[in-house]
Amino acid sequence: MRWTDLKECCDYYNINYKSLCTYMQKNKISKEEALSHYYQYYKYNRFTYNHVTYDSFAACCMAYEIKPICVRRYAKRKHFLLRHALSSYLNYHNKRKIYFCGQEYITFTSCCRAFGCNASYVSAYAKRHGISREEALKFYINRIEKQEGQKIDSRTFVFRDSIYHDLSDCCRNLGINVRSVYGYMWRTKKSRVEAVEYYYTKPFVE
């Protein structure tokens, strides 16, 4: 295949053009030799999973929305090959997903956070009363709704006329520890807005 220039060739093979040029200058070699070196590296690092070939193992993990480092650690701990580790990790990851109120959440914890609830409190309540975690979560949601006097929309959180994705997003943007907010809510029976307001006006109080 013929290319109009070196950069076009690099783009085709997903090779970093600047890195290749630096490698050429450092080793005082031709474009062809540098390309050959990087192309071999490119072929070696390609990763195939479920009949789909990715530019790298990291690219494959990103496609499945999981962190490559987590899978690598899992593979090392279990003494698995990367492909086997990825498959096993994905199965584990999928089992942790939860469907609640028509939406999918990565974990039960992320689901609870979306509704401004503390997952550990919800799980403890479920165990204590012999009910499912979903039933316990509904109980806590109803409790918060009564405190705030309005229905909770898990998708948004409004504070001081600013709209955030959820309570965690609000706390992250304001530099507030979201766990502290949860704790304050359940200790004082305050609403989510009141709890955030407390830490927003007193940022140094834990």
Side-chain angles (χ1 to χ4, degrees):
M1 189 177 292
R2 298 180 66 86
W3 311 100
T4 56
D5 55 34
L6 181 60
K7 190 175 187 309
E8 183 184 10
C9 180
C10 288
D11 289 341
Y12 181 83
Y13 288 111
N14 196 31
I15 295 172
N16 189 302
Y17 173 72
K18 290 184 178 180
S19 295
L20 184 135
C21 290
T22 301
Y23 183 79
M24 284 170 52
Q25 294 173 355
K26 183 179 179 180
N27 294 278
K28 297 180 180 179
I29 57 177
S30 66
K31 292 185 291 185
E32 289 74 15
E33 289 174 311
L35 276 170
S36 177
H37 169 80
Y38 271 80
Y39 179 67
Q40 292 303 319
Y41 178 82
Y42 164 79
K43 285 202 304 182
Y44 177 78
N45 282 278
R46 298 190 83 186
F47 186 81
T48 301
Y49 183 73
N50 276 352
H51 309 294
V52 177
T53 300
Y54 301 88
D55 289 335
S56 65
F57 173 72
C60 177
C61 290
M62 289 172 65
Y64 283 96
E65 298 182 346
I66 57 177
K67 295 181 179 180
I69 186 63
C70 293
V71 182
R72 290 186 184 279
R73 287 173 179 169
Y74 181 77
K76 185 177 181 180
R77 188 170 67 251
K78 296 290 186 178
H79 304 289
F80 287 163
L81 294 174
L82 281 180
R83 191 169 287 101
H84 184 188
L86 177 59
S87 179
S88 180
Y89 191 87
L90 282 172
N91 286 334
Y92 167 75
H93 191 71
N94 289 332
K95 286 179 181 178
R96 297 182 68 199
K97 288 183 178 179
I98 179 174
Y99 292 87
F100 187 76
C101 291
Q103 293 189 49
E104 179 185 277
Y105 298 90
I106 297 175
T107 62
F108 180 69
T109 298
S110 64
C111 177
C112 289
R113 285 178 178 173
F115 288 92
C117 298
N118 186 309
S120 60
Y121 291 157
V122 176
S123 296
Y125 183 87
K127 185 176 181 180
R128 190 164 62 249
H129 293 273
I131 59 177
S132 68
R133 293 188 303 177
E134 288 78 6
E135 290 175 306
L137 178 55
K138 287 179 181 178
F139 167 81
Y140 272 91
I141 290 173
N142 289 332
R143 180 174 167 178
I144 295 174
E145 287 177 343
K146 288 179 181 178
Q147 291 173 355
E148 298 189 357
Q150 60 181 355
K151 285 285 184 181
I152 294 176
D153 182 351
S154 68
R155 293 166 294 179
T156 58
F157 178 75
V158 180
F159 180 73
R160 292 198 172 194
D161 298 324
S162 294
I163 300 176
Y164 301 92
H165 178 67
D166 53 27
L167 178 61
S168 296
D169 180 44
C170 174
C171 291
R172 185 166 51 252
N173 278 276
L174 298 178
I176 297 172
N177 188 320
V178 69
R179 292 185 179 181
S180 297
V181 173
Y182 287 139
Y184 183 80
M185 284 169 56
W186 302 119
R187 286 196 309 271
T188 63
K189 312 303 180 188
K190 298 289 186 181
S191 69
R192 294 181 299 171
V193 173
E194 289 174 316
V196 173
E197 183 70 38
Y198 173 78
Y199 281 98
Y200 182 72
T201 54
K202 297 183 179 181
F204 298 107
V205 177
E206 180 58 36

